[in-house]
Structures are given as structure tokens and as C-alpha cells.
């Protein structure tokens, strides 16, 4: 049932509008400035044109979607804090006082906390309850979830985007909250990229050097115990992944279904983006890389996606904070795109593309 539904959604994804993108490039080149002088900001606007199907793109009502879930592997001591913090931060998001909420407020962006798999129900009325299961299994001893639960998690992400689209949202900014979630992220990255866990694992929200060594050992054990099949993304996700990653994978797929851009945040979001592309390749053109996480595998995941971040700021907080930071660049790009005069009005001789 879940597999068939996913395939139905995937079948609705269409390529970007090449004609709209060509017109957007033509408009950029008609403006009174050095050709392609704004680099990636110009590329970001052209991508929007292709996504929306118009050379006059406007990303109305962007929203940050936070997938919140707990991870059984926390029992192995891989994080500085306990799982109870996941629920508390989601409650703080309900009150609009978490890091991403404070940042998003400056841009007039709403943050949508989603409980996809915390150990408890969220109490705040703004938390959307979409629980697949209450916390994942301890991947050092057992699979994180069943294959069916992984599919359900992905569908939660797709349906969440559909809900927000119907509420007027035309841009998704992905984020996550889940104590211990850099452990399953690093485990997935290690398997999917065939790299040693030591290369792919960082300190997360803050571990000592000894804590980091232990975390690497736990990931090695998780891979040994579960033996995920690299070529099967759902097998990797269900055995050593997490529900927040499953939900974000669904967000990327859902964004492509409803033709809206999805901004990738940091390392964990990039793992989810890579997983979504492995599962539904057609969703990739709708993704926007934003910043390169300071986590060791942050750039590796972007490289695997064939993407380059626009910001290298050493950030690794999560919650979508890096992506919200990058969203501000759209405002400058839009201001130039719609506000700059043409060559004649600017009384400057037009530049030409040279070989």
C-alpha cells in the first residue's frame, strides 16, 4: 500500500520549465550590471523560474518544516544530553523561542514543528502530531524501524508538504530535531558512500574526543549488526536511519510533486536529500543547497548530490538554521532581479558574453 502510494506521487513529478529558465537568464543579462556578476544568487532565481514555470518567480509564504523524532541509540551514550531534550525543544518551537524560530521571525517565516516519532506526544497546540512510532530502535542492537515504517515516515513528509501547499506555502525549508540524530545520519552516510564511519562522524551537538571515539564504535557496531544493503535506500534507512530523516526525504519528494523549492539545511538534511534522490531521482532539481555543515561529512554529502553550498559558515546547529540564513539571499536576488534598471535606463553600454 505505502509503496504503491509513493510510486503514485513520484509519477506526478515533472521536469523544470526550461523555457522559463531561459527567459530568466535573458532577464538577468538585460540588467545594468556585469553579466552573471551575482553568481549563485542568479542561479537560485533561475532555478525558481524553472520550478514555478514562470520568468517572474516569487517564493510566497516560505515555511520551515521541522521533523522531530527520538533515536533509540541515545541509550548507547552517543549524545551529550538525553532524549527528553527532543520534546522540550519541539515545545520551544511551539512557543516560537528555539534558535530557528528566532531567526525565522526576522524573515517573517513560520516554523512548523512536526512530531513524526518522539517518545512522547507533543503538548503544544502548534506541534503537528504525525507519529509513525514512538522512538526508533537502538541501531547498535536492532534495526531502527521496519521497512513499512520507513515508508510511512516518507509519506508523512510528502503529506506535510501537501498540507502546507494548500495553506499557501510556496517554499519549504527543511529542518530536524532529535537528540542523537547525527549518529544514524553518519551511519547512513557511511553505508551510502562506502566510507569509513570515522570519516563521516563528528561531535554532533558536543562530544569530547573520547565521546567521539565511542560514537564511531557504536556506528561501526550498528552497521555490523544490521548489515544494511547499500543499493537499497529503504533498507539503509530502516536499519540504521531515523524517522526525522524519513520525514525530510518525504518533504523533498513532496516539494517536487507540488512544484515548490525545498531548501536543504545541513548534514542531516543533506543525508535525507541524498536518500530522496536515490529513491526518487526526479525530485533532485527541486532541491536547493544552502550551507555546508561543519560536520565532517557535510561537504561529502553535498558532493555526492553534485551540489555546492552558497554559504560556508562553519554552522552545525541544525533545526534548519543554516537554510534560513541562506533564505535571506533570495531577498537580495529578488531585489536585484526586479529592481535593477536595464542597460538603456542605466545609461551603460551593454556587456556581452565573451568566449
Amino acid at each position: 500500500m505505502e509503496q504503491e502510494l509513493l510510486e503514485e506521487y513520484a509519477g506526478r513529478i515533472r521536469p523544470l520549465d526550461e523555457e522559463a529558465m531561459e527567459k530568466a537568464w535573458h532577464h538577468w543579462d538585460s540588467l545594468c550590471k556585469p553579466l552573471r556578476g551575482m553568481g549563485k544568487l542568479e542561479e537560485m532565481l533561475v532555478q525558481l523560474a524553472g520550478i514555478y514555470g514562470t520568468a517572474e518567480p516569487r517564493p510566497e509564504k516560505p515555511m520551515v518544516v521541522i521533523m522531530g523524532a527520538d533515536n533509540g541509540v541515545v541509550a548507547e551514550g552517543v549524545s551529550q544530553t538525553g532524549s527528553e531534550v527532543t520534546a522540550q525543544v519541539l515545545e520551544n518551537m511551539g512557543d516560537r523561542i528555539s534558535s530557528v524560530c528566532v531567526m525565522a521571525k526576522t524573515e517573517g517565516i513560520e516554523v512548523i514543528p512536526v512530531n513524526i516519532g518522539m517518545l512522547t506526544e507533543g503538548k503544544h497546540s502548534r506541534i503537528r502530531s504525525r507519529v509513525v512510532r514512538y522512538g526508533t530502535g537502538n541501531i547498535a542492537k536492532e534495526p531502527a524501524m521496519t521497512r513499512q515504517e520507513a515508508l510511512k515516515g516518507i509519506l508523512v513528509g510528502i503529506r506535510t508538504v501537501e498540507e502546507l501547499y494548500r495553506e499557501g506555502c510556496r517554499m519549504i525549508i527543511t529542518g530536524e530535531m532529535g537528540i542523537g540524530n547525527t549518529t544514524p545520519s553518519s551511519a547512513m552516510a557511511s553505508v551510502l558512500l562506502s566510507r569509513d564511519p570515522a570519516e563521516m562522524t563528528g561531535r554532533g551537538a558536543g562530544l569530547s574526543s573520547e565521546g567521539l571515539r565511542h560514537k564511531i564504535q557504536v556506528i561501526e557496531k550498528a552497521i555490523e549488526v544490521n548489515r544494511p544493503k547499500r543499493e537499497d535506500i529503504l533498507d539503509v534507512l530502516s536499519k540504521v536511519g531515523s524517522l526525522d530523516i524519513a520525514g525530510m526525504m518525504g518533504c523533498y519528494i513532496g516539494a517536487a510533486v507540488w512544484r515548490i523549492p525545498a531548501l536543504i539545511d545541513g548534514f542531516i538534511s543533506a543525508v535525507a536529500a541524498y536518500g530522496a534522490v536515490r529513491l526518487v531521482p526526479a525530485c533532485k532539481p527541486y532541491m536547493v543547497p544552502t550551507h555546508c555543515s561543519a560536520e565532517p561529512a557535510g561537504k561529502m554529502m553535498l558532493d555526492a548530490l553534485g551540489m555546492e553550498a552558497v554559504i560556508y559558515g562553519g554552522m552545525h546547529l541544525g533545526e534548519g538554521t543554516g537554510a534560513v540564513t541562506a533564505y535571506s539571499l533570495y531577498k537580495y536576488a529578488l531585489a536585484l532581479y526586479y529592481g535593477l534598471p536595464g542597460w538603456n535606463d542605466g545609461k551603460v553600454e551593454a556587456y556581452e558574453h565573451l568566449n
Side-chain angles (χ1 to χ4, degrees):
M1 173 63 176
E2 284 81 10
Q3 183 67 47
E4 288 80 3
L5 190 52
L6 175 62
E7 291 173 1
E8 180 185 330
Y9 280 124
R12 292 164 56 182
I13 298 174
R14 296 292 177 263
L16 301 192
D17 188 322
E18 295 289 341
E19 183 179 352
M21 294 171 74
E22 186 176 337
K23 288 180 179 178
W25 277 127
H26 179 75
H27 180 69
W28 271 125
D29 292 348
S30 74
L31 301 178
C32 186
K33 65 167 183 60
L35 297 175
R36 311 297 160 92
M38 291 305 291
K40 288 195 174 299
L41 271 68
E42 296 188 40
E43 293 176 20
M44 290 164 67
L45 254 291
V46 170
Q47 182 187 15
L48 282 188
I51 290 172
Y52 294 138
T54 173
E56 297 182 356
R58 299 183 187 276
E60 304 290 345
K61 203 173 181 180
M63 293 185 180
V64 182
V65 179
I66 304 294
M67 289 291 166
D70 280 307
N71 301 280
V73 74
V74 169
E76 300 295 321
V78 294
S79 57
Q80 191 177 112
T81 58
S83 293
E84 68 280 356
V85 175
T86 302
Q88 184 56 59
V89 174
L90 231 64
E91 295 295 331
N92 290 348
M93 289 177 181
D95 287 328
R96 298 184 174 91
I97 59 172
S98 78
S99 299
V100 71
C101 293
V102 172
M103 294 175 68
K105 184 178 180 181
T106 69
E107 302 292 348
I109 299 173
E110 188 63 271
V111 176
I112 309 296
V114 178
N115 177 10
I116 190 171
M118 293 196 303
L119 290 170
T120 61
E121 288 286 357
K123 298 177 183 177
H124 202 287
S125 60
R126 292 190 61 250
I127 297 175
R128 302 194 184 196
S129 180
R130 305 290 186 271
V131 179
V132 173
R133 59 176 280 172
Y134 294 97
T136 55
N138 180 351
I139 60 174
K141 298 178 179 179
E142 61 184 338
M145 64 193 99
T146 66
R147 190 180 183 92
Q148 185 178 26
E149 288 168 339
L151 279 166
K152 286 181 177 179
I154 292 168
L155 290 172
V156 165
I158 294 173
R159 288 165 175 155
T160 297
V161 173
E162 180 178 11
E163 290 173 14
L164 299 181
Y165 181 84
R166 298 189 188 288
E167 293 171 23
C169 172
R170 293 299 180 266
M171 175 179 280
I172 292 292
I173 299 172
T174 61
E176 38 63 38
M177 180 58 221
I179 296 301
N181 60 5
T182 56
T183 297
S185 302
S186 294
M188 285 188 66
S190 297
V191 173
L192 293 171
L193 301 189
S194 297
R195 304 291 287 264
D196 190 307
E199 296 180 76
M200 314 300 282
T201 308
R203 298 174 187 268
L207 286 175
S208 64
S209 295
E210 177 57 38
L212 176 59
R213 284 192 290 271
H214 173 65
K215 181 178 177 181
I216 293 169
Q217 291 170 351
V218 169
I219 292 171
E220 291 171 339
K221 184 178 179 182
I223 294 172
E224 179 184 355
V225 166
N226 290 290
R227 298 186 180 279
K229 300 173 184 176
R230 177 182 178 274
E231 68 281 2
D232 184 348
I233 182 59
L234 288 175
D235 192 66
V236 177
L237 174 63
S238 62
K239 287 180 176 176
V240 296
S242 64
L243 279 167
D244 50 349
I245 291 175
M248 287 191 292
M249 285 175 61
C251 285
Y252 295 122
I253 296 167
V257 172
W258 282 280
R259 296 188 69 87
I260 60 176
L263 276 58
I264 303 169
D265 186 37
F267 168 53
I268 301 171
S269 297
V271 171
Y274 184 77
V277 171
R278 285 281 297 270
L279 189 62
V280 182
C283 71
K284 182 179 176 180
Y286 292 83
M287 298 177 181
V288 183
T290 60
H291 81 110
C292 184
S293 170
E295 282 286 302
K299 188 172 187 306
M300 294 184 209
M301 293 311 307
L302 290 175
D303 288 345
L305 283 162
M307 297 179 180
E308 185 177 356
V310 68
I311 294 176
Y312 285 76
M315 294 179 281
H316 56 96
L317 190 150
E319 293 185 27
T321 49
V324 170
T325 301
Y327 167 78
S328 64
L329 298 178
Y330 275 112
K331 296 201 303 184
Y332 298 116
L334 288 161
L336 289 170
Y337 189 79
Y338 291 114
L340 269 181
W343 297 109
N344 289 336
D345 291 339
K347 300 178 181 179
V348 174
E349 183 178 351
Y351 284 84
E352 297 179 7
H353 286 289
L354 303 176
N355 293 326

